[in-house]
Amino acid sequence: MTTRSQPMVSEPRKALRVYLHLKDRILSGTLASAARMPSEPDLAIEHGVSRVTIRGALERLAEEGLVERRPGSGTYVRAASRSGAIVADFSNVFTHLVEMGRRTDVRLISFGYASPTPAVAEALGLGPGEEVQRSVRVRIADGTPFSYLVTYVPKRIGISYSEADLRSTPLLELLERSGARVASARQTVGATQAGPEIAEALGTETGAALLSITRIVKDEAGAGVEYLYALYRPDLYELQLDLERTKRGSAMRWAAKSPVATGRPANATEPRNPKKTGTGKRKTTR
Amino acid sequence: MTTRSQPMVSEPRKALRVYLHLKDRILSGTLASAARMPSEPDLAIEHGVSRVTIRGALERLAEEGLVERRPGSGTYVRAASRSGAIVADFSNVFTHLVEMGRRTDVRLISFGYASPTPAVAEALGLGPGEEVQRSVRVRIADGTPFSYLVTYVPKRIGISYSEADLRSTPLLELLERSGARVASARQTVGATQAGPEIAEALGTETGAALLSITRIVKDEAGAGVEYLYALYRPDLYELQLDLERTKRGSAMRWAAKSPVATGRPANATEPRNPKKTGTGKRKTTR
């Protein structure tokens, strides 16, 4: 009887590790672009995994445009560009998408009234017992879901529009139509791993990295109008900001350039995913 | 002989799934704040895992301040605030840290000259065969590593400072000292999963979600001065931007407020991690 113990790390977990390891090396430039990668058997030995696992990792890198697989020749590192993603400035995502001629759509997952969490109540400056209208939407560009949006609106504003309105009209437009004088917002940007439900809604894997944005929107009087918690697939969507070097006192500092509609970055090439190149226009929510 | 097959998902993987599932429900408000969580045995049955796995997931949520464990009483949901993170605007991270009185430090992992990847060469507008000075640094705040920075500088600029300079002085200061007239930058913000090496450098787990920033810095003539690929632990660091609602033509749009040093968000409470509350000042690199 052999005493070989059960492997501690499952095969999918190993494939993830190998994929992330190779991706790190490509993105950090350790594996030079255009270089031929080691062969699948060599990579399998190096990482102590099966060739099937190596193949899975390389295929995922190829899907993301980080390597190119040339049949009969091998796998080659590509430039570390992420040209397939939607690139927008920090503020006008959907205006920007519509201007780019992308077909966007929304799937309303839930709509209802509830008690806010203390964080939401505090951020929106709600009184005790004040309810919020809570909605969960998935945003779709050219057929591909790329963002998951949870919004909270004070009930007194939320009752001015219906579930049907939210399926067809940007939330901010609904808020302004209801008379809210939207004046300012504070955005916080982070990252998180997808849980199983959000992963499924976004067509990605549990544990995948997502870009997160929390936005607290206020009116002219400083009263809370909307609290947004948004998650984005970073392979499909990135934020962009242009900065200027300016003098403040004796020190040089970065300042945000007044945003204009931004295009793709200078190094953008053809989109990787043909599903994302539609040209129809469609009314959009947020 | 039983025919029960080997579980397809390993126990650590299950713990991750349970943790992410519960975190989703807390952050999206499905599990109300202040609510008592189901008991460990009930959660174990609900998720089909062991109590040990449940305990691991709850401990991780407690470390992140999302639940509170009260001995003899149970586990309670806390507000979905992420008050332990450094919060800075998009531009002046380290000026901001120093102004906040945080002790920051840098660990230089590598320093050398190499051929750029095509993406870096294109972004910096380098000529054929032109080399870059490549450095990898880990940024530490009050003893905790929170960012992993890979920078590329054209060799003709890079030779004006040494490895020792980079250990003690902000890179942008070195660049400006060398005569570069830094004028603008384009920042792209995304998210990625940590590979094993970066995870180790940042004291986190392989696969953890990281905030990523790519910054291309140019001089007054539009020539590339620096290419930065930076990864941040989102539990320790978040970006913040204030927006104003402004009129452009007939449409209302968001515009970035001219950035000032930003403090913590209004809902910030005490830092969760006492290691992050030092008050010493220290010279800092980026």
Side-chain angles (χ1 to χ4, degrees), chain B residues 19 26 55-69 75-76 78 272:
Chain B
Y19 154 78
I26 294 168
R55 203 167 300 134
L58 292 176
E59 275 164 13
R60 191 162 164 193
L61 291 169
E63 279 168 18
E64 295 182 16
L66 293 169
V67 302
E68 189 185 340
R69 312 202 73 186
T75 301
Y76 293 82
R78 292 187 55 180
R272 292 192 297 270

Side-chain angles (χ1 to χ4, degrees), chain B residues 101-134:
Chain B
R102 282 174 180 259
R103 184 172 54 79
T104 72
D105 205 351
V106 70
R107 187 159 68 85
L108 188 61
I109 291 183
S110 77
F111 181 94
Y113 290 87
S115 295
T117 65
V120 170
E122 191 183 340
L124 294 177
L126 300 180
E130 207 175 337
E131 287 200 324
V132 283
Q133 192 262 291
R134 178 176 179 276

Side-chain angles (χ1 to χ4, degrees), chain A:
Chain A
M1 185 175 153
T2 63
T3 55
R4 192 165 172 273
S5 62
Q6 288 295 324
M8 288 297 290
V9 180
S10 65
E11 204 62 20
R13 187 77 188 154
K14 280 186 193 166
L16 176 67
R17 282 182 70 94
V18 171
Y19 154 77
L20 290 171
H21 179 78
L22 294 173
K23 186 174 158 185
D24 266 8
R25 292 173 70 188
I26 295 167
L27 290 178
S28 68
T30 311
L31 270 173
S33 189
R36 190 169 174 281
M37 304 267 292
S39 70
E40 288 181 9
D42 286 353
L43 285 171
I45 291 163
E46 182 189 339
H47 292 277
V49 298
S50 70
R51 281 186 63 174
V52 174
T53 296
I54 293 296
R55 203 167 301 134
L58 291 176
E59 275 163 12
R60 191 162 164 192
L61 291 169
E63 278 167 18
E64 295 183 16
L66 292 169
V67 302
E68 189 185 342
R69 312 203 71 187
R70 296 184 201 148
S73 169
T75 301
Y76 294 81
V77 179
R78 291 187 55 180
S81 79
R82 313 182 58 186
S83 51
I86 297 161
V87 178
D89 73 24
F90 283 92
S91 46
N92 301 298
V93 176
F94 283 93
T95 313
H96 179 63
L97 285 176
V98 171
E99 282 169 0
M100 283 173 70
R102 283 172 178 259
R103 185 172 53 81
T104 71
D105 205 350
V106 71
R107 187 158 67 85
L108 188 61
I109 292 183
S110 78
F111 182 94
Y113 290 86
S115 295
T117 65
V120 169
E122 191 183 339
L124 294 177
L126 301 179
E130 207 174 336
E131 286 200 325
V132 283
Q133 191 262 291
R134 178 177 179 275
S135 72
V136 178
R137 287 172 296 165
V138 171
R139 167 65 48 194
I140 297 154
D142 298 322
T144 305
F146 72 96
S147 74
Y148 185 96
L149 311 169
V150 184
T151 55
Y152 304 86
V153 172
K155 186 175 179 179
R156 64 180 187 280
I157 302 173
I159 51 169
S160 66
Y161 56 90
S162 69
E163 194 170 335
D165 290 334
L166 197 56
R167 284 183 205 274
S168 65
T169 311
L171 175 55
L172 213 54
E173 197 177 317
L174 293 174
L175 298 177
E176 288 178 336
R177 242 191 238 172
S178 82
R181 301 176 73 86
V182 175
S184 67
R186 168 157 287 184
Q187 264 188 190
T188 309
V189 182
T192 192
Q193 283 185 274
E197 287 145 50
I198 292 174
E200 200 190 332
L202 291 178
T204 187
E205 287 167 29
T206 298
L210 301 175
L211 187 66
S212 72
I213 297 185
T214 304
R215 185 190 284 183
I216 299 161
V217 180
K218 300 202 166 172
D219 69 11
E220 288 173 351
V225 167
E226 181 200 351
Y227 182 103
L228 165 71
Y229 177 63
L231 298 171
Y232 297 88
R233 272 183 57 178
D235 55 332
L236 298 177
Y237 179 79
E238 289 183 324
L239 292 171
Q240 188 175 291
L241 188 71
D242 288 336
L243 304 172
E244 302 177 297
R245 195 81 175 145
T246 58
K247 203 152 196 157
R248 208 173 76 144
S250 63
M252 296 297 290
R253 296 188 74 133
W254 289 115
K257 257 190 188 162
S258 42
V260 291
T262 54
R264 284 159 174 278
N267 65 344
T269 56
E270 289 302 302
R272 291 192 297 269
N273 182 348
K275 279 185 296 188
K276 286 184 277 138
T277 56
T279 54
K281 281 201 186 190
R282 188 149 171 175
K283 192 141 199 177
T284 168
T285 310
R286 183 178 317 288

Side-chain angles (χ1 to χ4, degrees), chain B residues 5-68:
Chain B
S5 63
Q6 290 294 326
M8 289 296 291
V9 180
S10 65
E11 204 62 19
R13 189 78 188 156
K14 280 185 193 167
L16 176 67
R17 283 183 69 93
V18 172
Y19 154 78
L20 290 171
H21 178 80
L22 294 174
K23 186 174 158 184
D24 267 7
R25 293 173 70 189
I26 294 168
L27 290 178
S28 68
T30 312
L31 270 173
S33 188
R36 190 170 175 281
M37 304 268 291
S39 70
E40 288 181 9
D42 286 354
L43 285 170
I45 291 163
E46 181 188 339
H47 293 277
V49 298
S50 70
R51 281 187 62 174
V52 174
T53 296
I54 294 296
R55 203 167 300 134
L58 292 176
E59 275 164 13
R60 191 162 164 193
L61 291 169
E63 279 168 18
E64 295 182 16
L66 293 169
V67 302
E68 189 185 340

